[in-house]
Amino acid sequence: MNDWPEGWSGNNRGGDYAQPDGARVMRQVRRGPSAPPQGGVPQQPSYGDAYGDGDGYGNSGPDQYGGGYQSDYNTGQVYGAGVPGGPGGPGGGRGGRGAPNWGRRIKLTAITVTVVLLATTIGTYFWADSKLNREVDLSKVIDRPEAGEGTNYLIVGSDSRAGLSDEQKKELHTGSADGKRTDSMMILHTGSNGPTLVSLPRDSNVEIPSFVGSESGKTYQGTGRQVKLNAAYAEDGPELLVRTVEANTGLHIDHYVEIGFAGFANIVDAVGGVEIEIPKGGMKDTKSGADFEAGKQTLNGEQALAFVRTRYALAGSDLDRTKNQQKFLAALASQTATPSTVLNPFKLYPTMSAGLDTLIVDKDMSLFDLADMFWAMKGVTGGDGKSMNMPISGNSANGNLQWDTAKVKQLVEQLKNDETVTVSAN
């Protein structure tokens, strides 16, 4: 007896298929057109045949669905196995595409990122290099001492008001004096024994040597004239200042860097202010605009400029001011040379733009030299760095600050030989 429902016998399957009694297995449907009759062409039934003509399941012919929905069910195969474009078949994946080649994708991504970073770095270098104002020609400086070990930078803070509006001059308490003067001068030495920052007080007594005018090209013979150090800058600018520093110290200056009021304030604002600790008693000076309570606080550009310019509120006047300038510059460098600034383009580019636009450097200064100077400044207050004033022995006959000749000579020799500085300013 056949237990299969009508239309499910082996005879309806088009072949001699022996089906055990009682077994219920899903009928096998061949994929694709059924085999054609002997010597004939496969018949394609109409849609009417496929949906109701014949028995209850539309088995009216060899291929009731026109080959549209036939699959190898119950053949032991996973659906699509071995079928091109299906899982497990040639090509794998959907739509005939193979499985993702993750190794290749990772390699292409790494190459793309490397190329982008390299292009960005090169672009940034040329952009920054074009921003440097290489205005100082040290080849005009005559009778120069021999270069020693390491590198010596002469860092100058001028009172240039270039780029400041009348309102900004009032806010920054700069006044409206014509021309340019310098209130801060420092020698930064970098080498194998740590950086050393030596401040040169503006009131230091120096002799103006023979020099060649930076504009006229005329030679001016030295007459033994004794003046304050900042007078050399006021008289003939950076070239005469370098000539005077070298003649009075015997130390070769390799590079010159200058920044004005506006540039200094802009850099501080670009990094979001600089944290500094105001000493006990606070600081108040109507001339510079300083008005600070004691303790740690973050200074913006205007406040920072007031801090580094203040001297009348300090017991040591210009000598104490140079210490504050060193302290602030080291804090500025430490805060700027951090991953949060260097790796953040939204902070790095404004900071670089604010600084590079207003810096004046010598013609041989490169970005690498500038970076070396900046990182050395950061290390002045940490590690094996050292900061000090030029040793002073008292006042000269004209009231200017007189350098301690013996100590200055020892200091210069140690810097020339790139030795650890042991000289004290006291």
Side-chain angles (χ1 to χ4, degrees):
M1 177 178 178
N2 187 355
D3 291 333
W4 288 79
E6 184 180 354
W8 283 72
S9 67
N11 294 333
N12 281 349
R13 298 173 63 84
D16 295 332
Y17 190 124
Q19 176 66 46
D21 289 344
R24 291 187 177 273
V25 181
M26 186 178 293
R27 59 185 286 273
Q28 181 179 13
V29 182
R30 293 179 181 277
R31 175 175 296 278
S34 59
Q38 292 183 354
V41 179
Q43 297 178 353
Q44 298 295 334
S46 66
Y47 288 107
D49 290 340
Y51 292 96
D53 295 340
D55 62 22
Y57 288 90
N59 293 334
S60 59
D63 189 0
Q64 71 273 21
Y65 287 97
Y69 291 91
Q70 297 166 13
S71 301
D72 293 329
Y73 294 117
N74 200 33
T75 63
Q77 292 180 325
V78 177
Y79 175 70
V83 179
R94 297 182 179 178
R97 293 185 301 176
N101 187 336
W102 289 109
R104 184 170 180 271
R105 289 188 178 186
I106 293 173
K107 183 178 180 180
L108 288 175
T109 300
I111 292 174
T112 301
V113 170
T114 301
V115 170
V116 170
L117 289 176
L118 183 61
T120 301
T121 301
I122 294 174
T124 299
Y125 177 87
F126 284 105
W127 168 79
D129 189 71
S130 68
K131 291 280 186 180
L132 282 178
N133 300 311
R134 297 182 173 91
E135 299 178 5
V136 180
D137 188 356
L138 295 183
S139 67
K140 295 180 179 179
V141 180
I142 61 173
D143 300 332
R144 308 191 67 185
E146 291 185 4
E149 301 293 327
T151 304
N152 299 312
Y153 299 87
L154 181 60
I155 304 172
V156 174
S158 75
D159 66 359
S160 171
R161 296 156 178 83
L164 293 177
S165 65
D166 291 339
E167 183 178 352
Q168 289 174 317
K169 291 176 184 178
K170 183 177 180 180
E171 290 176 353
L172 297 176
H173 300 271
T174 66
S176 299
D178 294 328
K180 277 197 314 184
R181 284 153 294 279
T182 176
D183 287 334
S184 60
M185 291 157 284
M186 306 176 190
I187 295 174
L188 174 66
H189 174 83
T190 65
S192 58
N193 284 292
T196 301
L197 185 63
V198 182
S199 285
L200 310 174
R202 54 168 281 176
D203 294 338
S204 296
N205 190 63
V206 294
E207 179 181 331
I208 298 295
S210 299
F211 69 96
V212 174
S214 59
E215 296 295 334
S216 66
K218 180 181 177 181
T219 299
Y220 297 88
Q221 295 296 332
T223 60
R225 180 163 48 107
Q226 305 283 310
V227 298
K228 293 180 179 180
L229 180 59
N230 67 341
Y233 179 91
E235 187 172 327
D236 197 46
E239 288 85 356
L240 179 55
L241 178 60
V242 171
R243 168 73 175 123
T244 302
V245 169
E246 289 187 341
N248 284 266
T249 63
L251 187 66
H252 181 90
I253 300 298
D254 297 289
H255 294 293
Y256 177 92
V257 181
E258 176 187 327
I259 188 167
F261 284 160
F264 182 82
N266 288 341
I267 292 175
V268 174
D269 285 334
V271 299
V274 174
E275 185 179 75
I276 203 77
E277 184 165 358
I278 305 298
K280 185 177 180 180
M283 183 185 294
K284 188 164 185 173
D285 183 0
T286 56
K287 290 185 178 294
S288 68
D291 188 4
F292 308 119
E293 299 292 335
K296 282 188 177 181
Q297 51 195 286
T298 299
L299 307 185
N300 61 26
E302 176 185 341
Q303 295 168 325
L305 188 58
F307 177 79
V308 299
R309 293 180 63 218
T310 294
R311 66 168 176 160
Y312 293 105
L314 304 176
S317 188
D318 198 39
L319 293 177
D320 283 348
R321 174 167 65 174
T322 57
K323 294 178 182 177
N324 282 342
Q325 290 169 348
Q326 293 175 343
K327 178 180 177 181
F328 188 87
L329 289 178
L332 174 61
S334 295
Q335 183 168 319
T336 305
T338 60
S340 62
T341 297
V342 175
L343 299 180
N344 183 353
F346 297 102
K347 288 188 69 175
L348 176 62
Y349 282 90
T351 302
M352 291 180 68
S353 182
L356 296 174
D357 278 341
T358 54
L359 283 179
I360 296 175
V361 299
D362 64 271
K363 293 184 180 296
D364 294 327
M365 173 75 82
S366 70
L367 285 177
F368 295 108
D369 294 323
L370 197 60
D372 174 67
M373 183 198 81
F374 198 75
W375 285 97
M377 186 73 74
K378 178 181 178 180
V380 164
T381 56
D384 51 1
K386 181 181 180 67
S387 61
M388 59 183 292
N389 277 326
M390 186 65 82
I392 303 294
S393 61
N395 289 355
S396 61
N398 57 11
N400 299 334
L401 295 175
Q402 186 66 49
W403 292 350
D404 186 316
T405 305
K407 285 187 175 182
V408 170
K409 182 178 180 180
Q410 183 182 1
L411 172 63
V412 169
E413 285 301 313
Q414 290 177 341
L415 293 178
K416 274 187 173 182
N417 297 324
D418 196 23
E419 299 171 351
T420 300
V421 172
T422 59
V423 178
S424 169
N426 300 324

